[in-house]
Amino acid sequence: LMRLEGAIGALWLLLVLLARTGHAAVDSQLVVGIDWDRNDPRAYPLETLNFHEIVNDVDSQNRSFAVTWAPLTGSNVIFRTQDLYSRNKQLGHSGKLYQNNLIAYDRATHSLWSQLLRLTVAGVARGEKLLIEHSSLTKWSTWKKLYPNTRVLSRPAGSRRNYFQDPYKHYRQEDRIMFSSCFADHYNQIPYSLKKSKELTLVVFTDSEAPILFPYSELAKQRVVNTKNPTTEETILVAYDFAHQLVVSYVPEINSSLLLFEVAQPDQVPSDVNYTEASRGGLMLFKDLNTQSIWNMMGDCIAGPLHGHRLRRLNSFTVYWFAASTFFGQEYIFYKDMIHKWQPETICPPISNDTACLVPCSEILSAGPDEDVIVSIDKPTWQTPQQYEYLERTPWNIVLPYFIIFLTLFFLFIGLMSWRMLPCVERRHQAQQPSPGAALHKVQADVSIKSPKKRARALAMESRRVINFKDDDED
C-alpha cells in the first residue's frame, strides 16, 4: 500500500509540473515590443517573426512602419516606412542576405534595403536611408508586466507552418555563423575578438545618429550606465534588468538638467508608494542622484521631486555581437566601464565602387530562388494576452496533462481493484493447496520412488513439514 501511495504521489507531481509547463513556456517566449503609444503597445512574438521576418503595420496615427527581424544576426529593427517616397510603403523579403543580415526590398521600386546598414544598397533608390524607432527585445512575461493592455500579433490564419517549433534554437546556442562573413575572416582582430559571436549587444543611436555599442556582459557589471558620446557630448542612460532580460536607453535630462542615475533598492522606495505596482511586478528601479527621485524601467518618475516626469527614449535595437562589430566595429563601444573606439585593420562591411551597389554585389547572397521566399505579414491581426497564452498551450500543453490525468486515474483504479481482490486471491490459493496429511500419504503411495533411502528421506522431510505446520496452527 505504501508503494502504491508513493507511485500515485510521483504521478501527481509529474501531472502538476506538466500542467504548469505550458504557462512557463509562454512566459519565456521572446517578443519584439513597441511602446511609442502607451495606449496601444504591441508585441510581436519571435515564434512568428522567425518564419516571416517582416511585418508591415500602421500605428494609431495611421503612420506606416515595418517590424523587421533577422534571425541569423539576432537583430530587430523598426523602420518608419512612411518616409518612403512611393505610395506602396511596404517592405518585402528579397530572399537575399548580406553579411548574414536581412535584405529587404520596397515593393514600389524593388530596391534592396540592408537592415543593419539602414539604407538602400542596390536599385534606383541606392543610398536612400530610413528612420528607425526604438524597440525592446524581451521575454513575454516581462512585456506583459510592463503593458498588461498590450496587443499580440497572431499567427496568419490558414498557415501550415509549425509556429511552436523554433528553427533557430540550436543556432542561437552555438558560436558558429551560418554563412561566410567579414567577422569570421577577422575574428582574431580587435574589436571583433572582444566578445563571443552570439552575445547580445544593444546598439544605441543618439540624436546625431551616432551609434554606440553596449554588450550585455558589460551592462551586467553595472546595470545602470551613465555615459556620453565623446564626439558629440550627447548623454546616454542605459538600464539593464538582467533577471527580466530588459534593456532600455534614455536621454538622462529633464528640463535641460542632466541627471545621474544608480540602481534603487526596495528599501529606498518611499513607504507611501506601492513597490509592486510601481516596479511593474518586481522590475528594476533606479534613482537619480540629483533629486533622489525614483524611476521605473518605463522611464517614468514614480516618487520624489520629479514625480510625473518621463525620460525620452533613444532609438536602439538588439543584435548579436558578430553582426554589431561587423556593421559598427569602427564606432564607439562600451567596454570595461568606458567608451572606446578602435580602428579595425579591416573595415567591415567593405564599401563597393560599383555604381549599381553600395556594397559588393557579389557578397549579396541569395537565400532562395526568388523574391518573397519568406512571405512578410502585410495585414497583421491581433490577440489579447489571454488569447495568445491559451493558443500557446493548446497543442500539447493542454492535451498532454489531460492524457496524464486519464493514465493516473486508470492506474489508480487498477491498483485499488488489485488491493481489494488480494484477500480473495489468497483464500483461493490456500484452498487449492493440499493438506499436509494428504501430501504425506501421497509420498507413501508414490511407487516411482524405488530407492529405500530416497523414500525414507522424502518421508522425513514431509513429516518435518507437517510438524511445523501444526506448530504454526497452535501459535
Side-chain angles (χ1 to χ4, degrees), residues 4 167 308 462 470:
L4 181 62
E462 189 62 31
K470 290 181 179 179

Side-chain angles (χ1 to χ4, degrees), residues 1 60 76 180 193 419:
L1 183 60
S60 56
N76 57 291
S180 60
S193 60
W419 179 67

Side-chain angles (χ1 to χ4, degrees), residues 127-413:
E128 293 287 335
K129 203 166 189 177
L130 281 178
L131 296 179
I132 67 172
E133 285 283 357
H134 66 265
S135 61
S136 300
L137 179 64
T138 186
K139 295 188 293 186
W140 165 244
S141 58
T142 302
W143 186 257
K144 186 173 53 174
K145 290 178 181 179
L146 290 171
Y147 302 103
N149 62 327
T150 186
R151 293 195 292 166
V152 190
L153 177 70
S154 61
R155 304 171 190 86
S159 177
R160 296 183 179 180
R161 297 182 184 276
N162 182 9
Y163 291 101
F164 300 98
Q165 181 181 3
D166 186 357
Y168 300 99
K169 178 180 179 180
H170 298 293
Y171 176 76
R172 287 197 303 269
Q173 299 170 351
E174 300 171 346
D175 287 335
R176 71 179 181 90
I177 302 171
M178 184 68 72
F179 300 105
S180 60
S181 69
C182 188
F183 175 89
D185 296 337
H186 307 285
Y187 68 92
N188 57 344
Q189 300 180 12
I190 292 180
Y192 312 118
S193 60
L194 295 177
K195 299 294 177 182
K196 292 185 177 180
S197 60
K198 298 293 179 61
E199 178 174 332
L200 289 177
T201 304
L202 184 72
V203 182
V204 178
F205 292 85
T206 57
D207 293 339
S208 62
E209 291 292 313
I212 300 180
L213 310 186
F214 292 87
Y216 275 29
S217 60
E218 298 296 328
L219 294 175
K221 299 175 183 178
Q222 297 188 21
R223 299 172 63 189
V224 173
V225 174
N226 301 276
T227 187
K228 63 181 179 179
N229 187 315
T231 302
T232 63
E233 298 294 323
E234 295 169 298
T235 54
I236 302 172
L237 165 67
V238 180
Y240 178 35
D241 188 336
F242 174 79
H244 295 89
Q245 196 171 334
L246 178 64
V247 182
V248 290
S249 56
Y250 295 101
V251 177
E253 296 180 3
I254 295 293
N255 299 327
S256 300
S257 298
L258 177 63
L259 302 176
L260 294 178
F261 291 86
E262 69 177 11
V263 177
Q265 304 301 326
D267 57 359
Q268 296 176 329
V269 179
S271 57
D272 59 336
V273 176
N274 187 322
Y275 175 80
T276 303
E277 181 180 351
S279 63
R280 297 287 178 163
L283 272 69
M284 186 181 74
L285 299 175
F286 46 94
K287 69 174 182 178
D288 69 81
L289 303 179
N290 306 68
T291 67
Q292 302 299 310
S293 298
I294 306 298
W295 305 73
N296 62 19
M297 293 293 286
M298 299 170 65
D300 298 326
C301 184
I302 59 174
L306 296 179
H307 182 269
H309 285 76
R310 178 179 296 173
L311 298 173
R312 180 168 62 87
R313 281 287 294 266
L314 286 171
N315 293 333
S316 61
F317 56 79
T318 307
V319 63
Y320 291 146
W321 171 253
F322 84 86
S325 58
T326 296
F327 286 88
F328 309 104
Q330 65 273 21
E331 306 293 346
Y332 288 108
I333 301 173
F334 183 77
Y335 183 69
K336 292 187 176 180
D337 303 335
M338 295 181 61
I339 296 291
H340 299 267
K341 189 170 186 177
W342 288 275
Q343 186 61 38
E345 298 178 15
T346 304
I347 297 178
C348 298
I351 302 299
S352 173
N353 294 323
D354 193 336
T355 57
C357 293
L358 192 65
V359 298
C361 295
S362 59
E363 295 189 17
I364 299 180
L365 303 177
S366 293
D370 200 357
E371 294 173 348
D372 282 339
V373 174
I374 299 176
V375 180
S376 61
I377 298 177
D378 300 329
K379 294 181 180 180
T381 55
W382 303 97
Q383 298 172 328
T384 63
Q386 293 77 15
Q387 291 172 329
Y388 170 65
E389 292 181 352
Y390 176 79
L391 290 175
E392 279 286 341
R393 299 183 61 183
T394 298
W396 286 107
N397 295 317
I398 285 182
V399 176
L400 188 59
Y402 282 115
F403 180 68
I404 297 298
I405 289 175
F406 170 77
L407 288 181
T408 303
L409 294 177
F410 175 76
F411 285 114
L412 179 62
F413 174 77

Side-chain angles (χ1 to χ4, degrees), residues 48-56 66-73 75 79 90-98 100-108 110-115 161 168 179 364-378:
T48 302
L49 292 179
N50 279 334
F51 291 97
H52 298 277
E53 300 192 12
I54 298 176
V55 178
N56 292 293
V67 179
T68 64
W69 165 250
L72 297 186
T73 53
S75 50
F79 290 108
Q90 291 185 336
L91 298 180
H93 199 296
S94 68
K96 297 178 175 58
L97 300 171
Y98 177 63
N100 287 271
N101 184 237
L102 164 69
I103 293 288
Y105 74 96
D106 70 82
R107 291 188 173 147
H110 284 61
S111 299
L112 299 181
W113 296 78
S114 169
Q115 184 202 42
R161 297 182 184 276
Y168 300 99
F179 300 105
I364 299 180
L365 303 177
S366 293
D370 200 357
E371 294 173 348
D372 282 339
V373 174
I374 299 176
V375 180
S376 61
I377 298 177
D378 300 329

